[in-house]
């Protein structure tokens, strides 16, 4: 039901039965399909058989009027887990993870594409959403009711491509943003004031190298850092407190635009940085402390990696999640680069965000 719920909303009862019968055949539940057929003999069309094997369990959330450009996960004040999405329709939406129902109305205030979203918390613990837009602005919203917090942050001279939530050494929550203007910037989440000067992404200050991805992490000694990935194929690490670089830039690969970065931890507790590149179709992993490579994952031939995230399986195994232009999502063990199961398929076009 959850896999076809988005198709049922606008159908009458008999047509819903037809759609459910098709879906159950497609995922291999022939017995259930027979029960639906018996219960709804007046359905407008029937499915005798369907190609394909059992599908991975999933639910499709619909509502955006156009492509979804960014995703994040968060928690409402009552502990409810939610998914946050931002799209080209200039809106952000919040959905309950358990049943896919929307939380409140769409948040719409940007006058350009919502390129990036992240979840964070104000100093008093209030859950918030951070959004970055194609017009160079940032905004913060309360997750519970969608009301804006403070004023616009006219943060960059060009599009904001990525945002992340982090924490300064003194515990102050901050926003990290990356832009096509070639800078990474850090802002206090409570009032939008900048922390230090913009961090220039590149060796030539006269040429803007677009920042396409940012993430927050910590060094082995606990030092909070920002990670950035850019259009020149480099990954950079910066101390959040003062903006000083940590080591030299990491080169992902020739011709690889870094579309996504994440911070993860190896099974032995070693912090690492993960990057997903464009043309070379790979995911790469480096130790945060010294930039030495740990692994390289080939996503697939002609399959550009557009999104990466680091998570931990219920058994405690750290993994990488990646999404690519071939519409697949893949899960890999972090440490030995082996895949967890088969690629997850269901999208009809490129996967631009995972969380």
């Amino acid at each position: 039901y959850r896999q076809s719920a988005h198709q049922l909303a606008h159908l009458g009862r008999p047509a819903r039965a037809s759609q459910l019968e098709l879906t159950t055949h497609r995922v291999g539940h022939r017995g259930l399909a027979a029960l639906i057929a018996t219960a709804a003999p007046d359905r407008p069309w029937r499915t005798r058989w369907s190609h394909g094997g059992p599908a991975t369990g999933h639910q499709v959330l619909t509502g955006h009027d156009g492509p979804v450009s960014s995703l994040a996960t968060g928690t409402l004040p009552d502990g409810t887990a939610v998914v946050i999405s931002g799209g080209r329709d200039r809106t952000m939406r919040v959905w309950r993870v358990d049943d896919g129902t929307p939380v409140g109305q769409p948040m719409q205030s940007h006058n350009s594409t919502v390129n990036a979203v992240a979840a964070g918390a104000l100093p008093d613990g209030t859950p918030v959403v951070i959004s970055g837009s194609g017009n160079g602005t940032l905004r913060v919203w309360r997750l519970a009711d969608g009301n804006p917090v403070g004023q616009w942050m006219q943060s960059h001279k060009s599009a904001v491509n990525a945002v992340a939530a982090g924490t300064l050494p003194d515990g102050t929550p901050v926003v990290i943003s990356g832009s096509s203007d070639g800078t990474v910037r850090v802002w206090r989440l409570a009032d939008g004031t900048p922390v230090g000067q913009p961090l220039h992404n590149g060796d030539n200050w006269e040429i803007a190298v677009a920042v396409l991805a940012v993430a927050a992490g910590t060094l082995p000694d606990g030092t909070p850092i920002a990670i950035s990935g850019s259009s020149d194929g480099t990954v950079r690490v910066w101390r959040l407190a003062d903006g000083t670089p940590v080591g030299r830039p990491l080169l992902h690969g020739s011709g690889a635009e870094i579309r996504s970065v994440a911070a993860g931890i190896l099974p032995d507790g070693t912090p690492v940085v993960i990057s997903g590149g464009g043309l070379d179709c790979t995911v790469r992993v480096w130790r945060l402390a010294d930039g030495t490579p740990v692994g390289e994952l080939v996503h697939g031939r002609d399959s550009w990696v557009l999104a990466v995230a680091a998570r931990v399986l219920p058994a405690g195994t750290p993994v990488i999640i990646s999404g690519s232009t071939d519409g697949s999502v893949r899960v890999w063990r972090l440490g030995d680069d082996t895949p967890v199961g088969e690629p997850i398929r269901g999208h009809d076009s490129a996967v631009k965000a995972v969380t």
Side-chain angles (χ1 to χ4, degrees):
Y1 173 81
R2 295 188 70 176
Q3 293 189 32
S4 60
H6 64 292
Q7 297 168 320
L8 305 179
H10 305 294
L11 299 178
R13 290 176 64 87
R16 290 183 184 184
S18 292
Q19 182 63 52
L20 283 171
E21 182 188 19
L22 171 61
T23 302
T24 50
H25 270 293
R26 181 174 56 82
V27 299
H29 293 291
R30 313 302 181 194
L32 179 57
L35 290 175
I36 293 171
T38 301
D42 61 341
R43 62 197 187 282
W45 48 272
R46 305 180 181 199
T47 302
R48 301 300 184 188
W49 52 269
S50 176
H51 285 295
T56 303
H58 67 277
Q59 180 169 355
V60 179
L61 307 178
T62 60
H64 283 285
D65 184 18
V68 175
S69 53
S70 53
L71 287 176
T73 54
T75 306
L76 296 179
D78 64 2
T80 301
V82 295
V83 175
I84 306 150
S85 60
R88 287 191 187 174
D89 61 0
R90 306 179 182 183
T91 70
M92 289 173 296
R93 296 169 186 260
V94 182
W95 324 76
R96 295 177 183 87
V97 170
D98 284 346
D99 59 12
T101 56
V103 177
Q105 297 299 310
M107 291 171 269
Q108 185 169 6
S109 186
H110 290 287
N111 60 9
S112 184
T113 299
V114 179
N115 289 334
V117 294
L122 297 178
D124 64 2
T126 301
V128 294
V129 182
I130 307 147
S131 60
S133 173
N135 65 1
T137 60
L138 289 169
R139 191 141 207 192
V140 181
W141 319 71
R142 290 183 181 84
L143 190 51
D145 57 17
N147 288 327
V149 177
Q151 301 298 312
W152 290 98
M153 288 180 259
Q154 187 64 45
S155 54
H156 289 276
K157 297 177 181 178
S158 189
V160 175
N161 298 319
V163 295
T167 307
L168 296 181
D170 64 3
T172 301
V174 294
V175 179
I176 305 161
S177 60
S179 169
S180 294
D181 67 8
T183 65
V184 175
R185 304 196 72 173
V186 183
W187 319 79
R188 293 176 184 85
L189 188 51
D191 58 13
T193 56
V195 177
Q197 297 299 309
L199 311 178
H200 191 79
N201 189 58
D203 298 324
N204 188 341
W205 283 71
E206 297 180 357
I207 300 175
V209 177
V211 180
L212 304 178
V214 296
T218 56
L219 295 178
D221 64 2
T223 301
I225 56 165
I227 305 162
S228 65
S230 66
S231 60
D232 66 355
T234 60
V235 176
R236 297 170 187 260
V237 182
W238 323 75
R239 293 178 183 84
L240 268 182
D242 57 13
T244 55
V246 177
R248 296 188 59 80
L250 309 174
L251 181 62
H252 183 103
S254 178
E257 287 189 342
I258 307 303
R259 299 300 185 94
S260 186
V261 293
I265 299 178
L266 296 179
D268 65 3
T270 301
V272 293
V273 57
I274 304 156
S275 67
L279 293 176
D280 69 353
C281 306
T282 63
V283 176
R284 296 177 188 262
V285 184
W286 293 274
R287 290 181 181 86
L288 264 176
D290 57 13
T292 55
V294 177
E296 176 183 327
L297 316 173
V298 179
H299 205 279
R301 183 180 178 183
D302 299 326
S303 177
W304 295 11
V305 179
L306 303 181
V308 295
R311 289 292 180 262
V312 178
L313 296 180
T317 303
V319 295
I320 299 169
I321 306 167
S322 60
S324 75
T325 53
D326 68 0
S328 71
V329 175
R330 298 171 190 249
V331 183
W332 321 75
R333 292 178 183 86
L334 187 50
D336 62 11
D337 304 343
T338 56
V340 178
E342 295 297 318
I344 302 168
R345 302 190 183 278
H347 292 283
D348 297 325
S349 59
V351 177
K352 298 181 178 180
V354 296
T355 184

